[in-house]
Each structure stands twice: as structure tokens, then as C-alpha cells.
Amino acid sequence: FKENRKDDIWLVDFYAPWCGHCKKLEPVWNEVGIEMERMGSPVKVGKMDATSFSSIASEFGVRGYPTIKLLKGDLAYNYRGPRTKDDIIEFANRVAGPLIRPLPSQHMFEHVQKRHRVLFVYVGGESPLKEKYIDVASELIVYTYFFSASENVLPKYVTLPELPAVVVFKDGTYFVYDEYEDGDLSSWINRERFQGYLNVDGFTLYELGDTGKLVAIAVIDDKNSSVEHTRLKSIIQEVARDYRDNFHRDFQFGHMDGNDYINSLLMDELTIPTIVVLNTSNQQYFLPDRHIENTKDMVKFINNILDGTAEAQGGDGLLQRIKRVIYDAKSTVMSVFKSSPLLGCFLFGLPLGVISIMCYGICTADPDGGVDEHETAKKESSDRELTDEGTEEEQEEGKNGRDTELSDDELQQKDLMEKKKD
């Protein structure tokens, strides 16, 4: 495979035999292979045990399992989308095909526009802008399609201020790239590759983190058709549509079904329906300080966030990180007990039992042994003092000896004085 892979285009699943997510992907991956072969796709589908062939996995930058990559010549494209058959096949067909797809006619343009909710088109001839467009396409082809067309192929309602131009078609309208207002072309395309309003899930929220935008979400229950759930969703949709020119550079709008993911993200219990604004770059979030009654209230809430008057909660500070560790540990324990109570009792009950036995043994230890040791140590200390100073008889003899020595001295002194006197 390593020697011959450049002769073909490969879609490879790098897996580990012990990985639960890899086992879950396996039936989907088999369907992908069958469907690609049925379609007559030039892409070959395979899978590799990354633990057995670790050198090859390391060469392609595999860091986790499963990792899906499309290998095309010297390039390796990572797949980061949902692990469904249709999404994986679309990724393979998109990346395996031409980097820039030409649209030769209006009929072809209309056909492509019906298939894609977001459509990027380069209009014009050779230019430095086209070179930038090609560079961006080589980087972001993993997310979206890139096309090129002449001006007469575009719908009649499209008006371009100048050529060449890069245009995105979405949300029933179009927007033209302006280098002075929109900045870097790559950043602009990365921001505009999403529709203005989305049905947000965990994966989409992760992808939105690359755009640098704040995400305004109506957290609702899709199965609940009550007025409040419908009203909040409509308010977010209206703001996304009617205030695009005001907020599209800073905000992404959408709704999320259920609050389980949001609760785990915010480490808090949100009562639905509600509205929350997330800053995925630093894990901060904003909650409205009053009930959102209409679009006007929502616009005011967004403006308060932009001008810094809205209070930010959460974040990635030290206290929040400690809180996150505790919350994740608690969630893990709870999930283990919910999914398998017996396993939970064994995993957590056994260590606690051992610790309890050790504590019981320490607390009930016999205290007499300690007293005996203390008395013994005291006796040995006393013996050492007697040994250093001698017995009482030896001490008395020493004292008498000193008295005798002093008496002889006095006699010698007396004799000396008598001699001097004579």
C-alpha cells in the first residue's frame, strides 16, 4: 500500500481493534465501500489497523481513532464530518474531484445551486484573486465545493460591482467578497461556509469554533409545539434574516434540540426553552438578564454583548478548569452507574472497601504496644545517663580524691612561705 497508494485515490479508515467508536463505524464503513463501488467511483475504500502499522499511521499524522483520511497524490485530507454513509461519500466525491469545478451554462448553475445550500463561485478570468481562490480551495475543499463561472452564467438578479469577484450563494440570496471590509479571503470563506441559520448539534458547534463567531442559540424541544418554543425559534430566525448586515461578521444563529449538550458544555442546568450565546473560543457564555419577548429584545441583548455591557459567564480560567475536572469526573461516575450499576459498584466499591479496611485497622490498633515501647525507651535513656556519669560510689571516690589533692597543695604552699620567711 505504501509503495502503490499514489497510483490511486484512497479513502482509508485508520482504526484500533479495541476502540469502541471504531467498532461502531465498521458497519457504516462497509456500506460506504459497497456504495462507492456501485457508483463506479475512482476512490478505493480501505481500512488499516493503526496499532499494527504504527509507522504508516504516524506518517499520515494519525492521532486518534477512528481517523478517516482521503489520500490523493502527496496530499492527505482529514474527514471531520458526521460519521454517516452519505456524509462520508459526499466528502470522498468532493475531495477526489477537481479542486475548482467549472459551470459552463445557466442550466448547470441552476442544477448545482439546487444541490448545495452554500455555493462559492469565482467569476472572471486569470488574476491574483483567482490564485488566492485556488489556494483557499485546496485548504477548505474538505468542507465545501468551489466553482468558477463567467458572468453571463449567473442569474440575472446578480449584480457584481467589478470583476473578478468571489460570490457566495446561500439563504436565498448572494454576497460578494470585499477585501477591504471582509479581510482575508480564507477567513471570509471559512465564515460564510455556513448558512445564516442552522440546526446546531455538538459537531456543528465544534466546527463553528473555527469561524471565530459567537453562536446565538435557541435551546428548545423540537417535539414540543408549544407557543414559547416556537416563538423563541422564530425570533432567532428573524434576527438572522433581517439583521444579517449588522451581525453576520460576529454572530452565527441557530437552534438546538434539547439541553443535554448545552448543560454539559456550560456545567449548568438550563431550563428550556431559553436563549444562550456561546463564545467557543474561550468557553464563555451569555444569558439574557430578562425575558426575550420579541426581536427588539434579542437585538438589544446582542448589542449589549458587542459593547461589553452584558455579563459573561464561564470561561477558561483556573477555577473553571478545576470545576470542569470535577464536573467531568462526576458525569463519568453517573454515566457508569446508569449504564451498568453492577460494574459501577465493582469499580468504585472495591477501592472504597479496601480503604475502609485500612482505616479500620489503623483506628483499632492496640495502644499498649506504644506504652511499652515508651517505657523501654525511657529506661534505656536512664541507663545511658548512669553509664556516662559512673556509679554513686565512683562519684564519691572522685570527690574525696579532689579533696586530698587540694590538701597537699596547701601544705606545699605553707612550706614555701616558711622558706621565704627564713
Side-chain angles (χ1 to χ4, degrees):
F1 170 77
K2 187 175 180 180
E3 295 175 356
N4 302 321
R5 71 167 186 84
K6 292 185 180 180
D7 298 336
D8 299 291
I9 301 174
W10 281 92
L11 182 66
V12 182
D13 167 28
F14 293 90
Y15 72 96
W18 43 261
C19 172
H21 294 292
C22 301
K23 294 177 181 178
K24 187 177 180 180
L25 176 65
E26 186 173 359
V28 176
W29 195 252
N30 292 335
E31 293 178 5
V32 169
I34 294 172
E35 183 68 15
M36 296 288 281
E37 185 177 11
R38 187 190 65 80
M39 293 167 55
S41 172
V43 179
K44 293 187 176 182
V45 181
K47 59 182 181 178
M48 178 177 291
D49 183 352
T51 61
S52 297
F53 302 97
S54 57
S55 60
I56 297 181
S58 178
E59 178 183 341
F60 291 120
V62 175
R63 298 290 182 269
Y65 310 112
T67 293
I68 298 173
K69 288 180 177 284
L70 187 132
L71 311 178
K72 184 180 179 181
D74 293 325
L75 301 176
Y77 296 91
N78 285 330
Y79 176 69
R80 297 173 59 183
R83 291 167 186 166
T84 64
K85 182 189 74 172
D86 293 339
D87 288 307
I88 294 173
I89 289 175
E90 183 185 3
F91 163 80
N93 290 332
R94 180 171 67 247
V95 179
L99 196 62
I100 310 294
R101 290 172 165 82
L103 299 174
S105 65
Q106 290 185 354
H107 176 74
M108 179 61 72
F109 181 91
E110 293 172 359
H111 172 72
V112 170
Q113 191 174 22
K114 290 178 181 178
R115 289 190 57 193
H116 303 286
R117 296 176 179 176
V118 180
L119 189 68
F120 290 97
V121 182
Y122 173 82
V123 184
E126 298 297 326
S127 69
L129 180 61
K130 185 175 183 179
E131 295 178 2
K132 291 181 182 179
Y133 185 72
I134 293 173
D135 291 339
V136 174
S138 64
E139 175 188 355
L140 300 180
I141 188 68
V142 294
Y143 300 118
T144 187
Y145 288 89
F146 293 87
F147 298 90
S148 64
S150 59
E151 189 174 11
N152 59 1
V153 169
L154 303 180
K156 294 182 180 180
Y157 64 83
V158 177
T159 302
L160 301 179
E162 62 179 0
L163 292 179
V166 177
V167 188
V168 58
F169 294 85
K170 66 176 184 177
D171 301 328
T173 184
Y174 70 96
F175 307 96
V176 182
Y177 167 67
D178 187 326
E179 183 177 1
Y180 297 101
E181 292 187 3
D182 300 316
D184 180 61
L185 178 62
S186 177
S187 300
W188 180 78
I189 291 178
N190 197 37
R191 291 195 305 268
E192 296 293 341
R193 64 186 176 93
F194 296 98
Q195 292 178 278
Y197 183 88
L198 297 170
N199 184 353
V200 181
D201 56 15
F203 172 77
T204 307
L205 198 59
Y206 173 78
E207 288 294 301
L208 288 172
D210 294 337
T211 66
K213 292 184 178 183
L214 299 174
V215 187
I217 304 174
V219 186
I220 62 174
D221 184 356
D222 277 338
K223 297 178 182 178
N224 192 326
S225 58
S226 65
V227 176
E228 186 66 11
H229 287 255
T230 306
R231 187 180 64 82
L232 288 182
K233 182 178 177 181
S234 299
I235 288 174
I236 296 292
Q237 288 175 329
E238 290 175 12
V239 173
R241 182 185 66 244
D242 299 338
Y243 292 85
R244 173 189 157 81
D245 292 340
N246 303 80
F247 302 134
H248 82 278
R249 286 185 176 86
D250 301 301
F251 278 85
Q252 175 67 49
F253 300 92
H255 78 274
M256 178 173 283
D257 181 22
N259 62 348
D260 290 341
Y261 185 85
I262 289 292
N263 288 344
S264 64
L265 193 66
L266 307 186
M267 297 181 288
D268 196 3
E269 289 289 336
L270 291 184
T271 303
I272 58 174
T274 188
I275 288 176
V276 60
V277 175
L278 304 173
N279 187 340
T280 55
S281 64
N282 60 9
Q283 299 181 15
Q284 287 184 342
Y285 63 95
F286 302 85
L287 296 174
D289 56 358
R290 63 178 181 173
H291 191 61
I292 302 295
E293 294 287 349
N294 48 44
T295 304
K296 183 179 179 181
D297 290 341
M298 187 64 199
V299 171
K300 184 177 180 180
F301 176 46
I302 291 175
N303 284 325
N304 289 342
I305 294 174
L306 290 175
D307 62 26
T309 57
E311 181 184 359
Q313 303 182 48
D316 55 0
L318 179 59
L319 292 178
Q320 284 297 121
R321 293 179 184 179
I322 295 173
K323 184 179 177 182
R324 169 61 63 185
V325 171
I326 296 173
Y327 181 87
D328 290 342
K330 179 181 176 182
S331 300
T332 302
V333 172
M334 295 299 294
S335 63
V336 169
F337 274 100
K338 285 182 179 179
S339 61
S340 180
L342 292 177
L343 179 61
C345 292
F346 176 78
L347 291 177
F348 299 102
L350 182 60
L352 289 176
V354 173
I355 294 173
S356 299
I357 293 173
M358 292 174 63
C359 292
Y360 176 80
I362 294 172
C363 295
T364 59
D366 186 6
D368 294 341
V371 174
D372 291 342
E373 291 178 358
H374 178 70
E375 293 294 336
T376 302
K378 186 175 181 181
K379 183 176 180 181
E380 291 176 353
S381 177
S382 177
D383 291 343
R384 282 195 300 271
E385 292 177 357
L386 291 174
T387 302
D388 294 337
E389 298 180 1
T391 62
E392 294 180 358
E393 295 178 354
E394 292 174 345
Q395 293 179 19
E396 186 66 27
E397 291 178 358
K399 185 177 180 180
N400 295 334
R402 284 193 298 271
D403 292 343
T404 304
E405 292 175 0
L406 291 173
S407 299
D408 293 340
D409 292 338
E410 291 176 355
L411 292 174
Q412 292 177 1
Q413 187 70 17
K414 186 177 181 181
D415 293 340
L416 182 61
M417 291 298 291
E418 289 177 353
K419 290 180 180 180
K420 288 182 178 179
K421 185 178 181 181
D422 294 340

